[in-house]
Amino acid sequence: MSAKRMRFESLLEAVPDALVGMDQKGVIRFVNSQTELLFGYDRDELIGQPISVLVPETLWQVYLEHRDLYFADPRTRSSGLDVDVSGRHHNGGGFPIHVSLSHIDTGDVLLVITAAGDVARQRQAVRIAGLTTAVVEYSDDAIVGTTLEGTITSWNPAAERMYGYSGKEALGRSIGLLTPSDRAGETTAALARIRAGQHVAHLKTDRTRKDGTAVPVSITVAPIRGEDDAVIGASAVYRDMTERVRADRALAETSRQYRLLAENAADFVAQMSTDGVITWVSPSVTRTLGWAYADLLGTRLVDLVHPDDVAATAAVIGAAYSGRAPTPADGFLMRVRAKSGQYRWMSGTGTPVANESGVRVGVVSGLRDVDDLVHARGVAEKAEAALRATADSLLDPHVRLDAVRDQSGKIVNFIYVDANPAACAYNGLDYQDLVGAQLLDLQPGNVGAGLLDQYRHVVETGQPLVQDDFVYAQELMGGQERRYDVRAARVGDGLSYTWRDVTDRHTAAMWLAESQEHYRLLAENASDVVMRLSPERSYEWVSGSIADVLGWAATDLLGHVIDEFIHPDDLESFRHTIATTSPESSASSELRLRRSDGSYRWVHCHTRLNVQEDRTSMALIGGLVDIEARKVAEAKELARLETLERFQRLTVGRELKMIELETEIERLRGLLHIDADEDADTP
C-alpha cells in the first residue's frame, strides 16, 4: 500500500460517519470503524464482499446507470448520488440510512452512510444488542448470568467448555454448583456487593468442574440493571487462569532457581551500566573473590582486571558494551583481582541488555573461576610437550590413528593424525604425506592379516592390543615378510599405536636357539663335566654328565657350594687356584671330589671368571675332567718305579759290595804274591 493511500485511510478512520470504499465493480475495499458499529460486522468480514451486503442492489444499479452522467466530466467529479435507503444489519434486520456516493482521487467509489432521524438510536440499540450477543457467544471467557439469589440464568459456550456442564444442565441451578465448599463465603459476599450496586473485580479463586477437578479463575462480577435502574441480577465473567497460574508458578520457580543459582553458584554474575559501572553483582562473588556486594557496587569491573589482560579483552568487551554482538560462546580469559590482592584466572562472557523499547541499558557479564583449570592446562601443555618430545625421541615408530566409520557407524578404516619421526622414517614418508593418509591405502594387507579387526576391537572395547612376533608381509618394503611386536591402546575414537620390527631379533633368537641346542647336546653328551658357579662358588648349573663322573644328579648339586665336595687335603689348593682366576686367563688344578657313595674321585678342574661390563663378578665357568684312571695308572707306575728303585738300589749295592770284595781279594792276592816272593828270596 502506498504512503498516500495509508494517509488517506487514516483520515477516513477519524470521520464520525460510516465510510465504505469500493472499486468500480462494487467490491468493498475499505471500511472504517464507524461502519463496523453501524452494521454490526467486523471489517474483515466486509473486505472483498459486494456492496449489496450493506445496501440494496437497486442503489448500485442506479449508480451504474448514472455514473457516466455524473462522473464523466472531471468538473462534476465530486458530484454523486445522495439518497435515503434501508441498510442491512449483520443480524438480518433493516434500518433507514442516508447514503452519499462519490468518486475520489484514487479512482474508487466512496459511500458516506449515516443513520436517518430516530433510526440512529434504534440502530445503536440494535448494534449494542448485536455486539453484546457476539461478545457473549464468542468470548473465550465463561460468562454466567445469575439472579440476585445466585440462580443461573445464562450460560455461554465458553462456560460449557470451562466447567463441562451444558447449558441445559446449568440453567436454573445454583451458582454453588461451581463453588467449592471452602469458597462458599466468597459467593455470598460477591452477591451482597452486587445487591448494593457494586462491582467485584478480578477475584482470584478456584471453581470446580463437572469432573470434580479444580480450575483457578479470575472472576469479575457486574450488576444487571432494569429499566428503572434497579439491580435485577448479576453477570459474572470467569477467566481460566490455569495457564497463567502455571506460567506464574514456572516463573516463580525459574526466579527461585535463578536466585539460588545467582546466590550459590561458584561463578558470579555482574550487571553493568553502559559506562561499565557495576549496578548489581551476585552474592557468590564473595566466595569466588572475597569481595562483598557493597565493595563492588558502583565500581568498574575493568578496574579489577589485571593490567596485562586489559588490552587483550578490550575488543570483545567493547563489542558487548556497544551492543554489536555478545562475546564468543567460549568467552575470554582474564585475571581478576581478589580482595586479598591476588589475581585469579576467570572466563568471562558479556551480553548486551536492552529495555522493552530496545534501548541499550547495559551489559550482563558472567565470570567463571578457571584459575585451577588454567594452571592445570599449563601443566597439561607441559606434559603434552614432554610427551611429544618423548614420542619424537623414541627409537620405535609411534602413530596415532582416528577411526573412519561408514554411515552405519562401523569402523572401516583408520586415518593417520600424528606420527613421530621414527614412524615417518620406517614408512619412508614425510610427516605431511603420512598424516592424513588412510591406513588401508598404505597397508591394505591389514584386512587379510586380521589386524583391522583387532584395531576395531580395541576402539570398541577399550582393551589394549598386545601382539608379539606377528608376521606381516610389509607392502612398504615390497611385500617382504617382517616380524613385529605391536602395542595399541584406545585414545578417543582411535588408537595410540606403536610397533617394533623384531625380524632381526627373531633371526638372532633362532641362531641362538640352534647354538644353545648344539651347546646343550655337547654339554650333555661330552665325557667332561661343564659347570657354572656363582661368585660364592655355589653350583648354578651343571651338565648331566656329572652323574657319570661323580654319581650325583645335576639337580642334587644346584645351590650347594663346591667346597662341600672337595677332599679336605685338596681344599686349600683349590681356593688358591680360584683366587688366581681372571677373565683373561683360566686356572686349573687337580683335586678329589666326593661321589654320591662317599668315595672320592680325582678330577682335573679348570675355571675362567665371567664378568659384567662394570667388571663385577658374574660367574665362574669351568669344567671337570675325570682323571681317576690316570691317577690310578700314575699310582701304579709310581709304585713300580719305587720297586725298581729299591731293586736297583739293592742290585747296585750288591755289585758295589762284590767290587769291593773283588778289590779286597785282589788286594789280598797281591799281598800274598808279595809275601811269596819275599819267601823265595829268603835264603
Side-chain angles (χ1 to χ4, degrees), residues 396-444:
D396 291 332
H398 176 270
V399 298
R400 191 158 59 84
L401 305 169
D402 276 354
V404 176
R405 300 177 181 271
D406 61 13
Q407 292 182 349
S408 65
K410 181 181 178 181
I411 297 176
V412 294
N413 206 339
F414 285 87
I415 187 170
Y416 290 91
V417 294
D418 196 14
N420 72 345
C424 296
Y426 189 87
N427 289 322
L429 296 171
D430 292 335
Y431 181 87
Q432 60 269 22
D433 295 327
L434 183 58
V435 172
Q438 295 201 0
L439 175 66
L440 297 185
D441 291 343
L442 298 180
Q443 297 173 307

Short mmCIF file of all heavy atoms in Angstrom, two decimals, residues 396-444:
data_model
loop_
_atom_site.label_atom_id
_atom_site.label_comp_id
_atom_site.label_asym_id
_atom_site.label_seq_id
_atom_site.Cartn_x
_atom_site.Cartn_y
_atom_site.Cartn_z
N ASP A 396 61.44 -46.50 18.57
CA ASP A 396 60.37 -47.26 17.93
C ASP A 396 59.38 -46.32 17.25
O ASP A 396 59.10 -45.22 17.76
CB ASP A 396 59.61 -48.10 18.96
CG ASP A 396 60.46 -49.24 19.50
OD1 ASP A 396 61.33 -49.71 18.76
OD2 ASP A 396 60.23 -49.66 20.66
N PRO A 397 58.81 -46.70 16.12
CA PRO A 397 57.78 -45.89 15.47
C PRO A 397 56.52 -45.79 16.34
O PRO A 397 56.15 -46.74 17.03
CB PRO A 397 57.49 -46.66 14.17
CG PRO A 397 58.67 -47.55 13.97
CD PRO A 397 59.16 -47.90 15.33
N HIS A 398 55.88 -44.62 16.32
CA HIS A 398 54.64 -44.41 17.04
C HIS A 398 53.74 -43.51 16.20
O HIS A 398 54.18 -42.49 15.69
CB HIS A 398 54.89 -43.77 18.40
CG HIS A 398 53.62 -43.43 19.13
ND1 HIS A 398 52.98 -42.22 19.00
CD2 HIS A 398 52.86 -44.17 19.99
CE1 HIS A 398 51.89 -42.22 19.73
NE2 HIS A 398 51.79 -43.38 20.35
N VAL A 399 52.46 -43.92 16.07
CA VAL A 399 51.50 -43.12 15.33
C VAL A 399 50.20 -43.06 16.13
O VAL A 399 49.96 -43.86 17.03
CB VAL A 399 51.20 -43.70 13.92
CG1 VAL A 399 52.42 -43.72 13.07
CG2 VAL A 399 50.60 -45.11 14.04
N ARG A 400 49.38 -42.07 15.79
CA ARG A 400 48.02 -42.00 16.34
C ARG A 400 47.04 -42.05 15.18
O ARG A 400 47.18 -41.33 14.20
CB ARG A 400 47.83 -40.74 17.17
CG ARG A 400 46.54 -40.76 17.98
CD ARG A 400 46.62 -39.79 19.16
NE ARG A 400 46.87 -38.44 18.74
CZ ARG A 400 45.90 -37.61 18.35
NH1 ARG A 400 44.65 -38.01 18.32
NH2 ARG A 400 46.21 -36.37 17.99
N LEU A 401 46.05 -42.93 15.32
CA LEU A 401 45.08 -43.18 14.26
C LEU A 401 43.68 -42.85 14.77
O LEU A 401 43.34 -43.16 15.91
CB LEU A 401 45.12 -44.65 13.83
CG LEU A 401 46.47 -45.21 13.38
CD1 LEU A 401 46.39 -46.71 13.25
CD2 LEU A 401 46.88 -44.58 12.06
N ASP A 402 42.88 -42.21 13.94
CA ASP A 402 41.46 -41.99 14.23
C ASP A 402 40.62 -42.92 13.36
O ASP A 402 40.97 -43.18 12.20
CB ASP A 402 41.07 -40.53 13.95
CG ASP A 402 41.38 -39.64 15.14
OD1 ASP A 402 41.79 -40.17 16.19
OD2 ASP A 402 41.22 -38.40 15.02
N ALA A 403 39.51 -43.39 13.95
CA ALA A 403 38.65 -44.32 13.23
C ALA A 403 37.91 -43.62 12.09
O ALA A 403 37.51 -42.46 12.22
CB ALA A 403 37.65 -44.96 14.17
N VAL A 404 37.73 -44.33 11.00
CA VAL A 404 36.90 -43.88 9.88
C VAL A 404 35.69 -44.80 9.85
O VAL A 404 35.84 -46.02 9.73
CB VAL A 404 37.67 -43.95 8.55
CG1 VAL A 404 36.75 -43.55 7.39
CG2 VAL A 404 38.89 -43.04 8.60
N ARG A 405 34.50 -44.23 9.96
CA ARG A 405 33.28 -45.02 10.06
C ARG A 405 32.40 -44.82 8.83
O ARG A 405 32.41 -43.75 8.22
CB ARG A 405 32.49 -44.67 11.33
CG ARG A 405 33.27 -44.91 12.61
CD ARG A 405 32.48 -44.47 13.84
NE ARG A 405 33.21 -44.68 15.08
CZ ARG A 405 33.16 -45.80 15.79
NH1 ARG A 405 32.38 -46.80 15.39
NH2 ARG A 405 33.86 -45.91 16.90
N ASP A 406 31.59 -45.86 8.52
CA ASP A 406 30.63 -45.73 7.43
C ASP A 406 29.33 -45.16 7.98
O ASP A 406 29.25 -44.77 9.16
CB ASP A 406 30.42 -47.07 6.73
CG ASP A 406 29.86 -48.15 7.67
OD1 ASP A 406 29.41 -47.78 8.78
OD2 ASP A 406 29.87 -49.33 7.30
N GLN A 407 28.30 -45.10 7.16
CA GLN A 407 27.05 -44.48 7.57
C GLN A 407 26.38 -45.22 8.72
O GLN A 407 25.64 -44.62 9.51
CB GLN A 407 26.08 -44.40 6.38
CG GLN A 407 26.56 -43.44 5.28
CD GLN A 407 25.57 -43.35 4.14
OE1 GLN A 407 24.63 -44.15 4.05
NE2 GLN A 407 25.77 -42.39 3.26
N SER A 408 26.65 -46.51 8.84
CA SER A 408 26.05 -47.29 9.93
C SER A 408 26.85 -47.16 11.22
O SER A 408 26.44 -47.67 12.26
CB SER A 408 25.96 -48.77 9.55
OG SER A 408 27.27 -49.33 9.40
N GLY A 409 28.00 -46.50 11.17
CA GLY A 409 28.83 -46.33 12.35
C GLY A 409 29.91 -47.37 12.49
O GLY A 409 30.69 -47.33 13.46
N LYS A 410 30.02 -48.31 11.56
CA LYS A 410 31.04 -49.35 11.64
C LYS A 410 32.39 -48.79 11.22
O LYS A 410 32.50 -48.03 10.26
CB LYS A 410 30.66 -50.53 10.73
CG LYS A 410 31.67 -51.67 10.77
CD LYS A 410 31.25 -52.79 9.84
CE LYS A 410 32.28 -53.91 9.83
NZ LYS A 410 31.91 -55.01 8.91
N ILE A 411 33.44 -49.19 11.95
CA ILE A 411 34.80 -48.77 11.61
C ILE A 411 35.25 -49.53 10.39
O ILE A 411 35.30 -50.76 10.38
CB ILE A 411 35.76 -49.01 12.79
CG1 ILE A 411 35.35 -48.17 14.00
CG2 ILE A 411 37.20 -48.68 12.38
CD1 ILE A 411 36.18 -48.43 15.24
N VAL A 412 35.59 -48.80 9.33
CA VAL A 412 36.00 -49.43 8.08
C VAL A 412 37.45 -49.08 7.71
O VAL A 412 38.01 -49.67 6.79
CB VAL A 412 35.06 -49.02 6.93
CG1 VAL A 412 33.66 -49.56 7.17
CG2 VAL A 412 35.03 -47.50 6.77
N ASN A 413 38.05 -48.15 8.44
CA ASN A 413 39.41 -47.75 8.12
C ASN A 413 39.93 -46.89 9.27
O ASN A 413 39.19 -46.57 10.21
CB ASN A 413 39.47 -46.98 6.81
CG ASN A 413 40.82 -47.08 6.12
OD1 ASN A 413 41.84 -47.39 6.75
ND2 ASN A 413 40.86 -46.82 4.83
N PHE A 414 41.19 -46.52 9.19
CA PHE A 414 41.79 -45.59 10.14
C PHE A 414 42.59 -44.56 9.35
O PHE A 414 43.12 -44.86 8.28
CB PHE A 414 42.70 -46.31 11.13
CG PHE A 414 41.96 -47.09 12.17
CD1 PHE A 414 41.57 -48.40 11.93
CD2 PHE A 414 41.64 -46.52 13.39
CE1 PHE A 414 40.89 -49.13 12.88
CE2 PHE A 414 40.96 -47.25 14.35
CZ PHE A 414 40.58 -48.55 14.10
N ILE A 415 42.67 -43.36 9.92
CA ILE A 415 43.42 -42.29 9.27
C ILE A 415 44.53 -41.83 10.21
O ILE A 415 44.34 -41.73 11.43
CB ILE A 415 42.49 -41.11 8.90
CG1 ILE A 415 43.25 -40.07 8.07
CG2 ILE A 415 41.87 -40.47 10.13
CD1 ILE A 415 42.35 -39.01 7.48
N TYR A 416 45.71 -41.60 9.65
CA TYR A 416 46.84 -41.12 10.44
C TYR A 416 46.61 -39.66 10.84
O TYR A 416 46.37 -38.81 9.98
CB TYR A 416 48.14 -41.22 9.65
CG TYR A 416 48.63 -42.63 9.40
CD1 TYR A 416 48.24 -43.34 8.26
CD2 TYR A 416 49.48 -43.27 10.31
CE1 TYR A 416 48.69 -44.62 8.02
CE2 TYR A 416 49.93 -44.56 10.07
CZ TYR A 416 49.53 -45.23 8.93
OH TYR A 416 49.99 -46.51 8.70
N VAL A 417 46.68 -39.37 12.15
CA VAL A 417 46.54 -37.99 12.62
C VAL A 417 47.82 -37.49 13.28
O VAL A 417 47.94 -36.28 13.53
CB VAL A 417 45.35 -37.86 13.60
CG1 VAL A 417 44.05 -38.13 12.89
CG2 VAL A 417 45.52 -38.80 14.80
N ASP A 418 48.76 -38.37 13.56
CA ASP A 418 50.04 -37.93 14.11
C ASP A 418 51.05 -39.07 13.93
O ASP A 418 50.67 -40.24 13.83
CB ASP A 418 49.93 -37.57 15.59
CG ASP A 418 51.12 -36.76 16.08
OD1 ASP A 418 51.89 -36.27 15.24
OD2 ASP A 418 51.28 -36.62 17.31
N ALA A 419 52.32 -38.71 13.88
CA ALA A 419 53.38 -39.71 13.72
C ALA A 419 54.68 -39.13 14.21
O ALA A 419 54.95 -37.93 14.05
CB ALA A 419 53.51 -40.13 12.24
N ASN A 420 55.49 -39.96 14.86
CA ASN A 420 56.81 -39.48 15.30
C ASN A 420 57.82 -39.70 14.18
O ASN A 420 57.55 -40.39 13.19
CB ASN A 420 57.22 -40.16 16.62
CG ASN A 420 57.58 -41.62 16.42
OD1 ASN A 420 57.27 -42.23 15.40
ND2 ASN A 420 58.21 -42.21 17.43
N PRO A 421 59.01 -39.08 14.30
CA PRO A 421 60.00 -39.20 13.22
C PRO A 421 60.36 -40.64 12.88
O PRO A 421 60.60 -40.97 11.72
CB PRO A 421 61.20 -38.43 13.77
CG PRO A 421 60.60 -37.43 14.71
CD PRO A 421 59.43 -38.13 15.34
N ALA A 422 60.39 -41.52 13.92
CA ALA A 422 60.74 -42.91 13.66
C ALA A 422 59.70 -43.58 12.77
O ALA A 422 60.04 -44.40 11.89
CB ALA A 422 60.88 -43.68 14.97
N ALA A 423 58.42 -43.23 12.96
CA ALA A 423 57.36 -43.80 12.12
C ALA A 423 57.49 -43.31 10.69
O ALA A 423 57.31 -44.08 9.73
CB ALA A 423 55.99 -43.45 12.69
N CYS A 424 57.76 -42.02 10.53
CA CYS A 424 57.93 -41.48 9.18
C CYS A 424 59.11 -42.14 8.48
O CYS A 424 59.01 -42.52 7.30
CB CYS A 424 58.12 -39.96 9.24
SG CYS A 424 56.71 -39.05 9.90
N ALA A 425 60.21 -42.31 9.21
CA ALA A 425 61.39 -42.92 8.61
C ALA A 425 61.13 -44.38 8.25
O ALA A 425 61.53 -44.84 7.17
CB ALA A 425 62.57 -42.82 9.58
N TYR A 426 60.46 -45.11 9.13
CA TYR A 426 60.22 -46.53 8.85
C TYR A 426 59.32 -46.70 7.63
O TYR A 426 59.53 -47.59 6.80
CB TYR A 426 59.58 -47.21 10.06
CG TYR A 426 59.49 -48.72 9.92
CD1 TYR A 426 60.55 -49.52 10.29
CD2 TYR A 426 58.36 -49.32 9.36
CE1 TYR A 426 60.49 -50.90 10.13
CE2 TYR A 426 58.29 -50.69 9.20
CZ TYR A 426 59.37 -51.49 9.59
OH TYR A 426 59.30 -52.85 9.42
N ASN A 427 58.29 -45.84 7.53
CA ASN A 427 57.36 -45.93 6.40
C ASN A 427 57.91 -45.28 5.14
O ASN A 427 57.30 -45.39 4.08
CB ASN A 427 56.01 -45.30 6.76
CG ASN A 427 55.24 -46.13 7.76
OD1 ASN A 427 55.26 -47.35 7.72
ND2 ASN A 427 54.56 -45.47 8.69
N GLY A 428 59.03 -44.57 5.27
CA GLY A 428 59.61 -43.93 4.10
C GLY A 428 58.79 -42.78 3.58
O GLY A 428 58.81 -42.48 2.38
N LEU A 429 58.05 -42.08 4.49
CA LEU A 429 57.19 -40.96 4.09
C LEU A 429 57.48 -39.76 4.97
O LEU A 429 57.81 -39.90 6.15
CB LEU A 429 55.71 -41.35 4.22
CG LEU A 429 55.19 -42.47 3.32
CD1 LEU A 429 53.79 -42.87 3.74
CD2 LEU A 429 55.20 -42.04 1.86
N ASP A 430 57.33 -38.56 4.39
CA ASP A 430 57.42 -37.34 5.18
C ASP A 430 56.17 -37.21 6.04
O ASP A 430 55.12 -37.78 5.75
CB ASP A 430 57.54 -36.12 4.27
CG ASP A 430 58.88 -36.10 3.53
OD1 ASP A 430 59.84 -36.70 4.05
OD2 ASP A 430 58.93 -35.51 2.44
N TYR A 431 56.29 -36.41 7.11
CA TYR A 431 55.17 -36.23 8.04
C TYR A 431 53.91 -35.77 7.32
O TYR A 431 52.82 -36.30 7.54
CB TYR A 431 55.58 -35.22 9.12
CG TYR A 431 54.51 -34.99 10.17
CD1 TYR A 431 54.42 -35.80 11.29
CD2 TYR A 431 53.61 -33.93 10.05
CE1 TYR A 431 53.45 -35.58 12.26
CE2 TYR A 431 52.64 -33.70 11.00
CZ TYR A 431 52.56 -34.53 12.11
OH TYR A 431 51.60 -34.31 13.06
N GLN A 432 54.06 -34.77 6.45
CA GLN A 432 52.88 -34.22 5.77
C GLN A 432 52.26 -35.21 4.80
O GLN A 432 51.06 -35.09 4.47
CB GLN A 432 53.22 -32.91 5.04
CG GLN A 432 54.29 -33.06 3.96
CD GLN A 432 55.67 -32.82 4.51
OE1 GLN A 432 55.90 -32.96 5.70
NE2 GLN A 432 56.61 -32.47 3.62
N ASP A 433 53.04 -36.18 4.36
CA ASP A 433 52.48 -37.19 3.47
C ASP A 433 51.83 -38.33 4.24
O ASP A 433 50.84 -38.93 3.78
CB ASP A 433 53.58 -37.77 2.56
CG ASP A 433 54.15 -36.73 1.62
OD1 ASP A 433 53.38 -35.85 1.20
OD2 ASP A 433 55.36 -36.79 1.33
N LEU A 434 52.36 -38.62 5.43
CA LEU A 434 51.80 -39.72 6.23
C LEU A 434 50.54 -39.28 6.95
O LEU A 434 49.52 -39.98 6.90
CB LEU A 434 52.84 -40.21 7.24
CG LEU A 434 52.43 -41.41 8.12
CD1 LEU A 434 52.05 -42.60 7.27
CD2 LEU A 434 53.55 -41.77 9.08
N VAL A 435 50.58 -38.13 7.62
CA VAL A 435 49.41 -37.63 8.34
C VAL A 435 48.34 -37.22 7.33
O VAL A 435 48.59 -36.45 6.41
CB VAL A 435 49.79 -36.46 9.26
CG1 VAL A 435 48.53 -35.84 9.87
CG2 VAL A 435 50.73 -36.94 10.35
N GLY A 436 47.15 -37.76 7.52
CA GLY A 436 46.05 -37.52 6.58
C GLY A 436 45.82 -38.69 5.65
O GLY A 436 44.75 -38.80 5.04
N ALA A 437 46.81 -39.59 5.55
CA ALA A 437 46.64 -40.78 4.72
C ALA A 437 45.83 -41.82 5.49
O ALA A 437 45.79 -41.82 6.73
CB ALA A 437 47.99 -41.36 4.32
N GLN A 438 45.17 -42.71 4.75
CA GLN A 438 44.39 -43.76 5.38
C GLN A 438 45.19 -45.05 5.43
O GLN A 438 45.98 -45.37 4.54
CB GLN A 438 43.06 -43.98 4.64
CG GLN A 438 42.14 -42.77 4.72
CD GLN A 438 40.70 -43.11 4.45
OE1 GLN A 438 40.35 -44.26 4.20
NE2 GLN A 438 39.83 -42.11 4.51
N LEU A 439 45.01 -45.77 6.53
CA LEU A 439 45.82 -46.95 6.81
C LEU A 439 45.75 -47.97 5.67
O LEU A 439 46.78 -48.47 5.20
CB LEU A 439 45.36 -47.59 8.12
CG LEU A 439 46.02 -48.91 8.51
CD1 LEU A 439 47.49 -48.69 8.80
CD2 LEU A 439 45.32 -49.52 9.72
N LEU A 440 44.54 -48.27 5.22
CA LEU A 440 44.39 -49.32 4.21
C LEU A 440 44.89 -48.89 2.84
O LEU A 440 45.12 -49.74 1.98
CB LEU A 440 42.93 -49.77 4.14
CG LEU A 440 42.37 -50.41 5.42
CD1 LEU A 440 40.97 -50.93 5.20
CD2 LEU A 440 43.28 -51.52 5.93
N ASP A 441 45.04 -47.58 2.64
CA ASP A 441 45.62 -47.13 1.38
C ASP A 441 47.11 -47.46 1.34
O ASP A 441 47.66 -47.75 0.28
CB ASP A 441 45.42 -45.62 1.20
CG ASP A 441 43.95 -45.27 0.96
OD1 ASP A 441 43.18 -46.19 0.61
OD2 ASP A 441 43.60 -44.10 1.14
N LEU A 442 47.77 -47.39 2.51
CA LEU A 442 49.20 -47.68 2.57
C LEU A 442 49.48 -49.16 2.79
O LEU A 442 50.43 -49.71 2.25
CB LEU A 442 49.85 -46.87 3.70
CG LEU A 442 49.79 -45.34 3.58
CD1 LEU A 442 50.48 -44.70 4.77
CD2 LEU A 442 50.44 -44.87 2.28
N GLN A 443 48.63 -49.79 3.63
CA GLN A 443 48.87 -51.18 4.00
C GLN A 443 47.56 -51.97 3.94
O GLN A 443 46.96 -52.29 4.97
CB GLN A 443 49.46 -51.26 5.41
CG GLN A 443 50.83 -50.59 5.52
CD GLN A 443 51.31 -50.52 6.94
OE1 GLN A 443 50.62 -50.03 7.83
NE2 GLN A 443 52.51 -51.02 7.17
N PRO A 444 47.08 -52.26 2.74
CA PRO A 444 45.81 -52.98 2.61
C PRO A 444 45.85 -54.37 3.21
O PRO A 444 44.80 -54.95 3.52
CB PRO A 444 45.60 -53.04 1.09
CG PRO A 444 46.96 -52.85 0.50
CD PRO A 444 47.68 -51.93 1.43
#
